[in-house]
Amino acid sequence: MHHLVLAAVVIITIIYVVLPLIFRYSAAFQRQLVFLPYTIGLRWPIKVNYSQPKIHGLQGTRNFYLPTAPKVHVGVWHVLPRDLVDTFSENTETSLANGNPIVLYLHGNSGSRATGHRVELYKLLQFHNYHVIAFDYRGFADSSQVLMSENGATIDAIRVYEYIRLFSGKSTVIVWGHSLGSAVAIKMVASLCAVKQSPDRLILESPFNNIRDVFRNHPLTLIYRPLSVVDRFFTERLETNNVAFDSDVHIAGVECPTLILHARDDRIVPIFLTRKLYEAGLKSRPTNAAALQFIEFPPDLHCGHECIYSAPQLPSIIQQLVDLDGF
């Protein structure tokens, strides 16, 4: 019995004292918990050969590496539209100007560009004749293992976007951010709009208003809420450590047509955080900004946080955005 009591005390001390203190005072630990790059081993597939996308069921897909900063490169997949798969070669850049829409996909935290639900979205978009450019931020997968931060992820995204624009010609370019990737997308697009280099469209899947509110409402912080220590130990230093992801602030600078997608049964990012982001966008964007639209998916579709790709109406929703039908 004595050993059980001692073990319980140790566990409680670690959970309620050690972990909060480490999170508050270790910037590196805080960034790791925001980005979760090392959880790749906990998600399928466990072992990934990024140089062979075909192993993951992706036909007509090129793997390559792109420099985004001094001594930093990111791993990238270019998934060709279905109609171009038979013409696949290692020189796929010129095909970006063929008129098929191009989706630059920014994934959320944990896993990699090869994580299952992400690959399923690529396949869906490929089937409907979109190019897909998907990459891993610095610190993830086979990208450079360097310090991660909000600014670093945003720089990586901007550099990949600039690469696309070198070859895209008049093709429509859509930035698509999921979860944490939506925050990267918003900050990136706001920066691009400020210098008149905006993408043509923006899709925000399962986004949130800011990372502080995500922590306050995340299932993993539930045990700390009765003690009123979530802000003191988990959110006070997010901005200082360059992981605040204040999307409700940055969305004021987004001027291109924007579509928000969220499932009502999302247990990771509660839908009311997405509604806060939407309301912030409506209030803060310039009067001449393009339309901002919000579509909710009902619980009976079982989309959750990661499976909006499975919603039967998604392809037509995306096509309406491309055509600006109803925007």
Side-chain angles (χ1 to χ4, degrees), residues 54 58 111 122 125 182 194 218 227 259 264 267 308:
K54 188 179 293 187
L58 292 171
Y122 312 156
L125 293 170
S182 72
H218 197 281
L227 303 179
L259 174 62
R264 293 180 193 146
R267 296 177 181 271
I308 286 178

Side-chain angles (χ1 to χ4, degrees), residues 102-114:
I102 303 163
V103 173
L104 168 57
Y105 181 75
L106 311 181
H107 69 65
N109 69 358
S110 84
S112 72
R113 64 187 184 277

Side-chain angles (χ1 to χ4, degrees), residues 68-118:
T68 61
K71 298 183 180 180
V72 177
H73 69 264
V74 296
V76 187
W77 281 350
H78 177 185
V79 185
L80 287 174
R82 178 181 54 161
D83 289 351
L84 299 182
V85 168
D86 291 340
T87 66
F88 173 75
S89 70
E90 288 302 313
N91 183 23
T92 59
E93 287 100 342
T94 55
S95 68
L96 290 170
N98 76 335
N100 292 70
I102 303 163
V103 173
L104 168 57
Y105 181 75
L106 311 181
H107 69 65
N109 69 358
S110 84
S112 72
R113 64 187 184 277
T115 299
H117 67 94
R118 295 165 188 161

